[in-house]
Amino acid sequence: MNMRKISVLCGSVLVWGVVAVSGFTSCDDSMSFTTDRSALLSFSADTVRFDTVISTVGSSTRQLMVYNRNADGLRIASVRLKQAYATPFRVNVDGSYLEPESGARAYDFEVRTGDSIRVFAEVTMPENGQDAPVALNDTLIFALESGAEQHVILTAVGQDAYMWRGRVIEADTLLEAGRPIVVYDSLSVKEGVTLSMAAGVQLYFHDGANLWVHGRIVAEGTVDRPVVFRGDRTDRMFDYLPYDNTPSRWGGIRLKATSTDNRLNHVDIHSASYGIACDSSSTDAMKLTLENSVIHNVGGEGLGLYHCRASVGNTQISNTLGHCVAVVGGWAEFVHCTLAQFYPWDAERGDALYLANKWLALDYPLQHAHFLNCLVTGYADDVVTGNLEDENKDVDYYFGNCVLRTVEAEDDASRFVGVVYEKKDEEGSGQEQFRLFDTDNYLYDFRLKDISIARGKGSTEWAARYPTDRYGTDRLTEPVPDAGCYEFVPEE
């Protein structure tokens, strides 16, 4: 048989033994390709953006979808990166890697009508020798068979950082503001040594890394330039959700038994597995003074005080899987603090405040646990709980001019003076009293709205100890200050 005489036409059926279907796909309109210059590709984005990435550390992967929404197929003659050899970006187009050594170019792609291909991009930013972040761009150029060219911008911001691996601070050290410090394998402060941190210092901890303090830490931030303790993931879990808004990105800060006289002012601790854990030590010496600070969104306890001495003022501790604050024995005083338990990631969350005089079958006398002008709230009906055995022995707790989301105390009114009990669904209570409560994007602003029941519930006596709130707003201009760490200010 002369195969040249067999004619295959669209719409015809040919049966010759077993004939592969693929042999006839040329009859499908999807296999017709156009060279019309007006027929172009469509992209899921015109710019592929990378969040700020640490220089020399590879980024996460971004995806770009390339669609053909034309009536005919399109052939892509080449895809290339404009900077070729000099590009910091790594790109894979439909399984073909754009090798920088080969000019960062790949050839011959087909996109049938209604079909698409995937592009994956990563970046490793070079060191720029500066403290400030530096942006770099490149262009991904699609050259069609028709001669038309289409461009997609790749952009990233690189931040130089100091890399510390298993660093031990063995002599008194002052950290100045500048490029962040990325901590791998934890950072330790030796007994008898002080690590000081100036305003604007940023410590980025890798997954599982902790700050172990056997000696002493002193952090002196400001309203505008806090000292920041956070995870090192600077990218996003989803387009709307930075990893920095999620908990358990790093370990936390642990003040060991030998550590005393730690002073933290205007610090921001967030996205950790726990906030600050204070190991048992003598209550004769102040272990921790924490002021004008935030501990937020952690996967364990926010502040754990275990038979030690601590003073906390003008501080927000919020959204923790464990208790926001746990006081187990010892001496602790909280003035103008906001304890807000709205942890969104697990319904089995802890309480806003937990008091106990026993832990792991051991007795820890609760010598002094006083809460003055504080706001303690959360999702649950009762967020103030504890385990206090024999309250008449070695137990001293007191709430003065606080707003508490708990069952009203009836048995010992002398411990609850000027207290307002927040009730479920009461106007201005719970989450409704705060400026921003976005559970879709995990964004929160615990400053008060005008309707908050915490307004005007404080005492000028206690406010005199902190005459301005965490943001520096004067508390004493109003006849009666608000409870919590924020004084109400009308929104602009």
Side-chain angles (χ1 to χ4, degrees):
M1 179 181 292
N2 186 348
M3 295 296 294
R4 297 179 183 177
K5 295 182 179 179
I6 299 178
S7 175
V8 180
L9 302 176
C10 292
S12 300
V13 177
L14 175 67
V15 179
W16 182 261
V18 178
V19 182
V21 174
S22 59
F24 297 92
T25 54
S26 59
C27 301
D28 190 338
D29 287 341
S30 67
M31 286 300 290
S32 61
F33 291 86
T34 180
T35 56
D36 185 345
R37 291 180 63 89
S38 66
L40 300 174
L41 298 165
S42 300
F43 302 98
S44 57
D46 57 8
T47 302
V48 177
R49 302 180 187 277
F50 292 85
D51 300 293
T52 300
V53 296
I54 302 299
S55 302
T56 75
V57 177
S59 72
S60 59
T61 303
R62 291 284 186 270
Q63 177 178 281
L64 174 74
M65 294 300 298
V66 182
Y67 301 101
N68 178 11
R69 296 192 170 105
N70 299 279
D72 298 294
L74 292 175
R75 289 192 176 97
I76 305 172
S78 69
V79 182
R80 64 185 175 90
L81 285 164
K82 185 175 182 179
Q83 294 184 25
Y85 308 98
T87 185
F89 297 93
R90 299 182 300 280
V91 176
N92 183 297
V93 180
D94 198 33
S96 297
Y97 177 52
L98 308 190
E99 294 274 1
E101 297 80 5
S102 304
R105 184 191 299 258
Y107 300 93
D108 300 329
F109 300 91
E110 292 185 350
V111 190
R112 299 180 185 183
T113 179
D115 206 350
S116 63
I117 60 174
R118 296 176 188 267
V119 176
F120 298 98
E122 298 174 348
V123 65
T124 299
M125 297 291 282
E127 288 189 313
N128 56 65
Q130 302 181 41
D131 289 343
V134 172
L136 288 179
N137 301 318
D138 202 348
T139 304
L140 190 60
I141 302 173
F142 293 78
L144 304 185
E145 185 183 38
S146 64
E149 282 193 353
Q150 295 181 258
H151 297 174
V152 174
I153 303 299
L154 306 179
T155 183
V157 177
Q159 170 68 69
D160 281 7
Y162 300 110
M163 303 295 186
W164 285 7
R165 295 183 181 272
R167 180 69 62 93
V168 178
I169 306 299
E170 298 182 325
D172 290 353
T173 301
L174 171 64
L175 302 181
E176 299 279 8
R179 63 189 67 176
I181 297 169
V182 179
V183 177
Y184 294 87
D185 306 323
S186 297
L187 169 65
S188 297
V189 182
K190 197 173 180 179
E191 185 176 351
V193 172
T194 298
L195 173 62
S196 300
M197 290 157 274
V201 166
Q202 300 183 67
L203 291 111
Y204 289 21
F205 291 82
H206 193 60
D207 184 23
N210 297 268
L211 173 55
W212 307 116
V213 185
H214 300 270
R216 173 173 176 252
I217 56 172
V218 176
E220 193 60 51
T222 65
V223 172
D224 299 322
R225 302 178 71 209
V227 175
V228 177
F229 301 83
R230 52 158 292 175
D232 68 343
R233 291 294 298 263
T234 57
D235 53 331
R236 293 173 179 264
M237 180 179 290
F238 306 111
D239 287 343
Y240 67 92
L241 182 60
Y243 276 101
D244 198 38
N245 288 5
T246 64
S248 301
R249 292 294 129 204
W250 59 288
I253 302 172
R254 191 168 201 97
L255 307 181
K256 297 289 192 171
T258 55
S259 178
T260 59
D261 197 24
N262 298 280
R263 291 184 281 112
L264 304 179
N265 183 30
H266 285 295
V267 303
D268 177 353
I269 302 167
H270 64 269
S271 300
S273 296
Y274 60 94
I276 303 176
C278 297
D279 290 350
S280 177
S281 57
S282 172
T283 57
D284 293 335
M286 186 67 74
K287 190 175 191 75
L288 172 65
T289 301
L290 178 65
E291 297 179 312
N292 304 304
S293 296
V294 170
I295 301 174
H296 177 69
N297 195 24
V298 302
E301 286 181 350
L303 176 61
L305 303 174
Y306 293 86
H307 195 266
C308 59
R309 190 179 187 93
S311 176
V312 185
N314 256 359
T315 289
Q316 171 193 318
I317 304 176
S318 49
N319 293 21
T320 64
L321 177 57
H323 306 304
C324 289
V325 171
V327 180
V328 181
W331 191 103
E333 191 159 273
F334 290 73
V335 182
H336 272 299
C337 291
T338 296
L339 311 183
Q341 181 52 295
F342 297 99
Y343 187 75
W345 304 95
D346 193 328
E348 298 297 321
R349 62 186 76 86
D351 297 308
L353 175 61
Y354 176 84
L355 302 177
N357 60 352
K358 183 179 286 289
W359 185 256
L360 299 177
L362 297 176
D363 293 324
Y364 293 97
L366 190 63
Q367 302 167 6
H368 180 100
H370 287 199
F371 299 83
L372 312 171
N373 286 8
C374 291
L375 169 59
V376 186
T377 185
Y379 276 131
D381 294 340
D382 188 354
V383 295
V384 182
T385 64
N387 178 23
L388 297 173
E389 298 185 7
D390 192 2
E391 292 192 20
N392 296 319
K393 180 182 178 182
D394 295 329
V395 172
D396 173 17
Y397 64 90
Y398 176 81
F399 295 87
N401 296 91
C402 294
V403 174
L404 305 178
R405 195 177 183 96
T406 190
V407 179
E408 185 170 352
E410 298 177 355
D411 55 341
D412 195 347
S414 65
R415 297 186 190 272
F416 299 84
V417 177
V419 168
V420 174
Y421 293 93
E422 186 181 281
K423 297 176 177 62
K424 186 178 181 180
D425 299 327
E426 179 181 6
E427 184 181 13
S429 68
Q431 68 191 60
E432 300 301 327
Q433 65 189 306
F434 301 117
R435 278 196 183 186
L436 178 62
F437 208 90
D438 183 349
T439 55
D440 292 328
N441 298 289
Y442 306 103
L443 299 173
Y444 302 85
D445 183 344
F446 287 101
R447 286 178 290 178
L448 302 177
K449 288 182 180 177
D450 184 42
I451 61 171
S452 169
I453 65 170
R455 294 207 55 207
K457 299 303 190 300
S459 163
T460 53
E461 178 183 358
W462 313 127
R465 295 173 58 176
Y466 289 96
T468 60
D469 76 356
R470 199 178 80 78
Y471 282 135
T473 302
D474 194 337
R475 283 197 169 100
L476 303 180
T477 56
E478 297 292 331
V480 183
D482 301 336
C485 65
Y486 301 108
E487 189 72 9
F488 170 73
V489 174
E491 295 185 57
E492 297 181 357

